[in-house]
Amino acid sequence: MGIFLVKGETRLKGQVTISGAKNAVLAVLPATLMADGETIIENAPSIDDVRVMGQILAALGAEVKENTSGFRINPRGIRNPSPPFELVKKVRASSLFLGPLLSRFGRAEIAMPGGCDIGPRPLDQHIKGLHALGAEIKIEEGFIKAQTKGLVGAPIYLDITSVGATENIMMAACLAKGTTTIENAAKEPEIIDVANLLNAMGADVKGAGTDVIRIRGVKSLRGVNHTIIPDRIEAGTFMIAAAATRGEVIIRDVIPEHLEPVIAKLREAGVQVEVGDDSIRVTGREEPYPALDLKTLPYPGFPTDLQSPMTALLTTAQGTSIIKENIFENRFRHVSQFERMGAKIKVEGRTAVVEGVEQISGAQVKATDLRAGAALIIAGLMARGETRIHGAQHIDRGYEHITAKFNSLGAQITREPSNLPGE
Ligand code: EPZ
């Protein structure tokens, strides 16, 4: 909760270690309930969204032990396939319990997760896929009620390359009778991480990371030990922050190939990026960056989750940058906040036109979503003077120890409680 206070004109210097991937662990946790035994998850980031998913598992009846590096989950005690409303509403990824609950218990009742500030976030592709596997699904009074006499493998074509729908269907298909193919599947690295967990449990998943995934149903799954992959979005956030503050930062514990689009974009801007086996050194440049064109696309395109951090960097580029947000309908809410800091940005539909200015200035701003919050920290580090970022709770949802990590690089970020209601 509360406010981040960010001191401006700060160059980041030093090294930072990246945590486990939020968007991998948010799918891995529901998958653990499909096993007959205990699963140990290592390298899970200690962030609010992950904590809530662990609480949902416990509310279903699983034995959940959380420690500093992750979770120990024993699903044997699960009886109730309907997680509590007040928990489900807190995190959109709770929709990822649908597939696992259906495949293990034949029914599931999940509250429609709240939309959020980046668009309506429908679940029609999740429902289309689970229905194809033989689930009857109704939406009543804001709840998704699903049941099946037994899932049967089927060919499924996703109309939209949806990360969550790919994960939900892939998990549900593991214990279905027969073979399932998912065409036009999302290819994000987090999906490969979930598939690796499922295969270690005894599933038969082939093709994760390509646009066709084939799953042969098996009888049962066993508990395993699994280490979550590094968070490419957190890593990209620090890479962009290092460049934007004209600093020099080594980002450790990364899988460089997951960051290809970010490396390419920063190099296009003249940023020095040196790639090691599991680290990346980013050295910003003194003179202003050139304006860039940016398009967000499904992996391996430029990630939508790094669109707002990149926009922050481009507010002081030389010339006019064009940013096209192709994934979400409404992911420019950070623009009005950057304008309060003196940025010149015009939004037309899914395109933002950024006219570079000499410098931006600190101001009172508000984080509207997790990534916009991180982008405002970057803008605050770039700006003249101090920036006060309201809505800090958004940022805590997805970035582990973000204040400590930035401050270890020379930032001066403090936090104070907010006296505004609901903050
Ligand atoms: C995942 O969300 C990530 N979240 C998001 O990260 C990420 O931005 C997104 O993938 C895209 O990469 C997690 O993995 C927990 P989608 P998800 O289904 O699965 C539309 C962050 O900041 N769509 O790939 O919800 C949808 O509206 C978060 O870490 C349908 O129309 O994303 C969107 O426009 C934000 N029908 C597009 O597809 C559906 O059934 C992509 O959504 C599903 C999605």
Side-chain angles (χ1 to χ4, degrees), residues 204-345:
D204 181 353
V205 180
K206 294 264 184 314
T210 74
D211 42 17
V212 181
I213 302 178
R214 195 226 352 92
I215 305 108
R216 284 206 181 89
V218 295
K219 287 258 169 300
S220 66
L221 298 173
R222 57 183 173 275
V224 291
N225 284 19
H226 181 79
T227 300
I228 299 291
I229 57 170
D231 193 319
R232 64 191 167 97
I233 304 300
E234 183 195 16
T237 304
F238 280 103
M239 288 170 67
I240 295 168
T245 58
R246 295 167 163 65
E248 182 173 349
V249 176
I250 299 177
I251 294 105
R252 294 206 176 292
D253 283 4
V254 297
I255 300 176
E257 71 182 272
H258 291 170
L259 285 148
E260 286 300 326
V262 186
I263 293 168
K265 214 21 102 171
L266 289 176
R267 282 180 172 158
E268 192 185 322
V271 176
Q272 197 183 324
V273 182
E274 294 151 82
V275 180
D277 294 341
D278 60 357
S279 67
I280 296 177
R281 177 200 290 265
V282 174
T283 309
R285 75 181 212 178
E286 287 311 314
E287 56 278 10
Y289 294 113
L292 296 176
D293 289 351
L294 188 70
K295 285 187 190 63
T296 65
L297 286 167
Y299 191 87
F302 192 89
T304 172
D305 294 343
L306 291 173
Q307 180 256 106
S308 49
M310 205 60 198
T311 306
L313 180 145
L314 292 171
T315 56
T316 59
Q318 218 154 32
T320 302
S321 301
I322 311 285
I323 298 168
K324 187 95 173 34
E325 171 53 56
N326 292 310
I327 307 294
F328 287 105
E329 276 157 39
N330 175 23
R331 204 167 197 177
F332 284 127
R333 294 190 50 166
H334 47 280
V335 164
S336 56
Q337 304 305 314
F338 287 152
E339 286 177 316
R340 293 169 66 91
M341 299 174 78
K344 284 212 178 76
I345 308 177

Side-chain angles (χ1 to χ4, degrees), residues 4-329:
F4 279 105
L5 305 178
V6 182
K7 184 176 171 304
E9 294 178 297
T10 306
R11 285 173 192 262
L12 298 179
K13 287 225 183 309
Q15 46 190 304
V16 65
T17 300
I18 297 305
S19 303
K22 165 178 91 77
N23 292 346
V25 70
L26 291 180
V28 158
L29 286 173
T32 62
L33 69 78
M34 294 162 63
D36 290 343
E38 181 175 76
T39 292
I40 294 173
I41 305 290
E42 296 288 344
N43 198 34
S46 161
I47 52 180
D48 296 349
D49 275 9
V50 170
R51 247 186 300 285
V52 172
M53 295 293 272
Q55 290 162 3
I56 292 175
L57 278 167
L60 290 168
E63 192 188 316
V64 179
K65 290 197 189 85
E66 186 179 355
N67 58 33
T68 47
S69 74
F71 289 86
R72 189 181 277 272
I73 295 153
N74 189 331
R76 265 196 285 268
I78 292 185
R79 295 281 172 277
N80 151 28
S82 305
F85 180 84
E86 68 280 358
L87 286 179
V88 165
K89 288 307 276 181
K90 283 185 179 174
V91 57
R92 171 180 164 72
S94 50
S95 58
L96 296 172
F97 278 102
L98 266 176
L101 286 170
L102 260 179
S103 71
R104 178 77 199 257
F105 300 100
R107 63 193 181 88
E109 192 166 308
I110 306 257
M112 279 295 272
C116 66
D117 288 293
I118 55 180
R121 311 293 293 276
L123 295 172
D124 57 300
Q125 298 300 307
H126 299 239
I127 291 167
K128 169 182 177 179
L130 296 173
H131 180 71
L133 294 176
E136 281 160 50
I137 299 181
K138 299 197 295 257
I139 297 183
E140 277 169 4
E141 297 121 39
F143 279 82
I144 301 178
K145 297 178 181 171
Q147 61 179 12
T148 177
K149 293 189 180 54
L151 296 177
V152 178
I156 295 161
Y157 179 84
L158 290 182
D159 305 320
I160 291 184
T161 309
S162 157
V163 172
T166 301
E167 290 166 339
N168 237 335
I169 298 162
M170 182 170 71
M171 293 189 283
C174 285
L175 293 173
K177 273 196 192 54
T179 300
T180 298
T181 49
I182 307 172
E183 291 192 62
N184 197 23
K187 302 187 270 196
E188 271 67 6
E190 292 74 31
I191 291 171
I192 301 174
D193 202 26
V194 179
N196 289 341
L197 166 90
L198 294 167
N199 284 333
M201 288 175 151
D204 181 353
V205 180
K206 294 264 184 314
T210 74
D211 42 17
V212 181
I213 302 178
R214 195 226 352 92
I215 305 108
R216 284 206 181 89
V218 295
K219 287 258 169 300
S220 66
L221 298 173
R222 57 183 173 275
V224 291
N225 284 19
H226 181 79
T227 300
I228 299 291
I229 57 170
D231 193 319
R232 64 191 167 97
I233 304 300
E234 183 195 16
T237 304
F238 280 103
M239 288 170 67
I240 295 168
T245 58
R246 295 167 163 65
E248 182 173 349
V249 176
I250 299 177
I251 294 105
R252 294 206 176 292
D253 283 4
V254 297
I255 300 176
E257 71 182 272
H258 291 170
L259 285 148
E260 286 300 326
V262 186
I263 293 168
K265 214 21 102 171
L266 289 176
R267 282 180 172 158
E268 192 185 322
V271 176
Q272 197 183 324
V273 182
E274 294 151 82
V275 180
D277 294 341
D278 60 357
S279 67
I280 296 177
R281 177 200 290 265
V282 174
T283 309
R285 75 181 212 178
E286 287 311 314
E287 56 278 10
Y289 294 113
L292 296 176
D293 289 351
L294 188 70
K295 285 187 190 63
T296 65
L297 286 167
Y299 191 87
F302 192 89
T304 172
D305 294 343
L306 291 173
Q307 180 256 106
S308 49
M310 205 60 198
T311 306
L313 180 145
L314 292 171
T315 56
T316 59
Q318 218 154 32
T320 302
S321 301
I322 311 285
I323 298 168
K324 187 95 173 34
E325 171 53 56
N326 292 310
I327 307 294
F328 287 105
E329 276 157 39

